[in-house]
Amino acid sequence: MEDALVPSKTRVFSTKEDDIIRTHHGDTTIVAGNVSLQSPGDVLKVLQSEPDNEQLTRALQWLNSEPAGQTLFNIKIPGPQASEIINVLINDIVPAYWPTLAQSQTHIQVRQKKLLIRSLGSIAGLAAILANLRSIVALLQAKAESKKVIGDQNGVQLVWNLINLLECIVGKDKFVLDIWNDITSYIKKESSKSLLWREFISLISSGKLLSTVAEASRVLDEKSSTVGEATWIGDGTQYAAWVGRNIGTLILQVEDDREKENAVQLLLHKSLTLGFTDQIVDANFLSLIRGDETHLEKYRRVLGRSSNHEQRSIIYSLLRIISKYHKLNDGFPNSDKQLHERDRIVCGAAALVARLARDSSNIGDALVDWVVGTFGDGASFGVGIRRAVVAALSSNQEQTKNALQQVLQLFGDKLYIRHTPILIQEVNAQSLLLLVGSVYRIDSSYLSSVTRSSVYLNAISNRLAASSPKSRFLGMIVATAVSELVDPQGKRIVFSSDEMAEAGSQSYKSLIKIHDHVGLISDLKGTTTTSDQTLTRRNDEKKTAFSNADTNLKQVSTSKIISIEEVNDESESEDENLPVYEKPDSDPEDEDEDPTLVQRNKPTAPVYIRDLMSGLRDTENYDKHKLALSTAPTLIRRKAGFGTEVHDHIEEMATILVGLGDKYKLENFQKLRVQAMIAVLVSEPLLMGQWFSRTYFAGDFSMSQRASILTTLGLGARELAGLKSEDAALTGTDAMPENLFPSKRLPAKMQRFYDPDTLPVTELAQRIERTIIAPRALSAADKMTGPNALKVRTFSSRMEVEKTRQKTIPNALAKIIGDGFVFPLIGLYRLYVQTHGNKGSHSSPFLLVHYLRTLSLLIHASGPSTLSLPAMTSELWDLLLSLRQNASNDVTVLEALLFALLTMLDVNEDKRRIVDEHGKELLETQKWVEGVFDGLDGRGDESERVKMLAAGVLVATREVVEKYERVLLGDLAGFM
């Protein structure tokens, strides 16, 4: 009989001190006894019966204990019983226990929290949480249904519970590795392993987890009355970085395991479709970027198993990250010292690129295309990263020579010279000079044959015959530099122009003499990015702010009343003979009734730039932060002409100002912030004009922050042109029109945020629009009144004429408007559209309108006498004609486009030059605007304004066409 009572399953519970569960109720400690759990059904019954702490802990322990055999129950393996238990945990246990477990104040709570996270840390648990989260969010969004089924506050708490639980489950960098180990340990069938892994990849790499949590976070913000910190799972950038770190952890575990290599490759392939390639590659290849080549071969194997498109995406992203991380993204240097100071970093980057491209023809071809500029966004980076890529290609002679031929053909193409932005042409010239120097060191005879070929001779001839001065300058630079290498002393090409004697030409020619070699990956060690330094400094300042707050709190809490004395009223008679003084002015800081709340330790205004940056970063200290923001414009302008303090910290300070947030809802926050950014821009116009242009396209900023960058460029350029007083008078008024009905008006504080017409750039555009159109309207009205012979002309006195005559204002903008503002803005936009298409945020109507108006303000501020006006007109006209499709889809873009055309035609006073150089564009513009004018119905204020602009453009184009008709159509046009 005893033999028949043999247990079928046995569970052994540890009796270590850590596993003894104690619950504390006052001063009484209760030790829970053993709970009889023999099957999953027993655990399910306990969980469904509203268990107490002891029962819950024992049930979770049973679920997380290691099974004695493979046939026993395991919650990590998908199945009916596992799904039922997981649903009970999510629907019953998490709502009841998680708000308390999230605090984790006692030993029991910490233990229960770990067991619950471990129980749900599986593919089935993750899928169940997301399904439950989606259902609750759907109920909250449907207000009528949610009131019947679930209350708003209860639903908000459930959403918060699940999001916080997800953060705890997936919040480690080896979560993906743990899932993979569970799959390979508990699943034996290969087909089941593959299905489970694909299901897991679809959850984390296809956007299900990211989109679900992002939507839940949005609903949580709308329904919750309290402001909480946003979850990182719902933020695409942080989520992609987490995915990249997990992929990197999984790659490091690959040890000649083909099954794991296939799993990593599939995960990487799906993750790249999230749209955050740079974040994934940055977190994944971080050790290589920092100079650690320990696991290089593992990364090479994974990269080699990827598709050609994925290899290109990864290698281009890696180049962007290396350039940013090691500060190789600076503009073109102006001295030989700046060219050679980063030789070690360039050689280290070349070693990393060369090692990854070794034995891979596809990556080598991708690097050639990147240098040439046909693929990728290499034109938006500095010369440092291109030096590294050219050095990496130098180990393969065929690829280097092929790159030289492609760059040379592109350099001399007529259409490329005429229609490509100057910024991209400059990058092409730099790449050509670097490749010429590399090929000369590899095979000098081959370079000599290239210089005698028709491709090279036609390229130089086309460059010298170009209408753009900058294009001709680049042709002279290349011809002179190449001639110094291949021609003898007496037969070298020499151009005796003023441009060739400048420092910029010498910097170009020095590129051909740079000899970069493939160094060691370890050369990348020891470099720290500005962002890392900023983050460390910011954390230190936060700690200091918190410690100061604690000190102030302690000082306030220790104040006490020493004694209370009763004063006799008879003493008042003794003070009658004392003089009476007036009551001092009231201090607004002392108006609080509680003297303990008065802030006596007031911060002082910053005197140095480093103190100013510290105050701008310290968002925890309201007084210090507000004082720093209010004094920033004046301090920056005062320090700009004194010493090098502003120059040494200018880019870091600009980064802080661009990314600054209005945490305290300050009244004049946007105005002060833009004024400070303008002060930074005018202190170093050429350098910061290019920096703001690059930041607008490359920075990770919101749309409002990008709009503020454009506002800074427009207003800063007008200040450099001597129009500061006019802009101050125009944009300094916040008064609302008095003819608006009160119910349609917003408060003055809110009006500037929701009314686009109150933006400074918009107001300036409307002002310029009126000044351009008004003379044409008066001229048309004057012609309608009759012939000039019948009109009476009024003569003014000389004194009255002198009073109305404006004084000549020196235009400091004219010298740098092209290289510092217009060329970077247009070139980087064309490059952005080439890389991302018209679906990016920069092509949205809001930013596109602001962008076009900024370009219009820049062209108008430059004036008709600017030397670079012909080149700017050529690039701007090509850009405007390419945006006609965007204008047809949105009337605001159409208005901005017509205003830009009108401004461009008005500034170019030399109409004959427009006919000679842009006759085709002129006729094409006239034909298109005629169609736009005929298609407008003229109803509504907005349509009427657009029609007025179209009429202005038509009048301007027809004047030129009628005057130079014979030039446009030929000499025989008059006989037809």
Side-chain angles (χ1 to χ4, degrees), residues 644-659:
T644 62
E645 193 175 3
V646 173
H647 178 76
D648 295 340
H649 302 88
I650 192 165
E651 291 190 7
E652 185 179 359
M653 183 165 48
T655 304
I656 297 172
L657 290 171
V658 172

Side-chain angles (χ1 to χ4, degrees), residues 578-592:
L578 295 177
V580 180
Y581 296 96
E582 295 182 0
K583 185 178 179 180
D585 295 336
S586 61
D587 189 354
E589 298 291 339
D590 295 336
E591 291 181 356
D592 204 310

Side-chain angles (χ1 to χ4, degrees), residues 385-457:
I385 190 64
R386 286 194 293 279
R387 288 173 54 191
V389 174
V390 171
L393 288 174
S394 62
S395 58
N396 190 321
Q397 295 187 15
E398 294 299 325
Q399 288 182 343
T400 305
K401 294 177 181 178
N402 183 26
L404 177 61
Q405 289 287 348
Q406 294 186 33
V407 172
L408 188 57
Q409 290 178 359
L410 197 62
F411 181 76
D413 186 79
K414 290 184 178 180
L415 292 178
Y416 181 85
I417 297 173
R418 182 175 178 82
H419 298 289
T420 304
I422 292 296
L423 176 68
I424 301 179
Q425 294 188 39
E426 290 176 347
V427 171
N428 179 261
Q430 295 169 18
S431 300
L432 178 59
L433 293 173
L434 289 172
L435 287 169
V436 165
S438 179
V439 171
Y440 178 77
R441 288 183 289 271
I442 294 174
D443 189 354
S444 59
S445 60
Y446 176 80
L447 181 62
S448 300
S449 64
V450 169
T451 57
R452 292 190 296 269
S453 64
S454 60
V455 176
Y456 176 79
L457 296 177

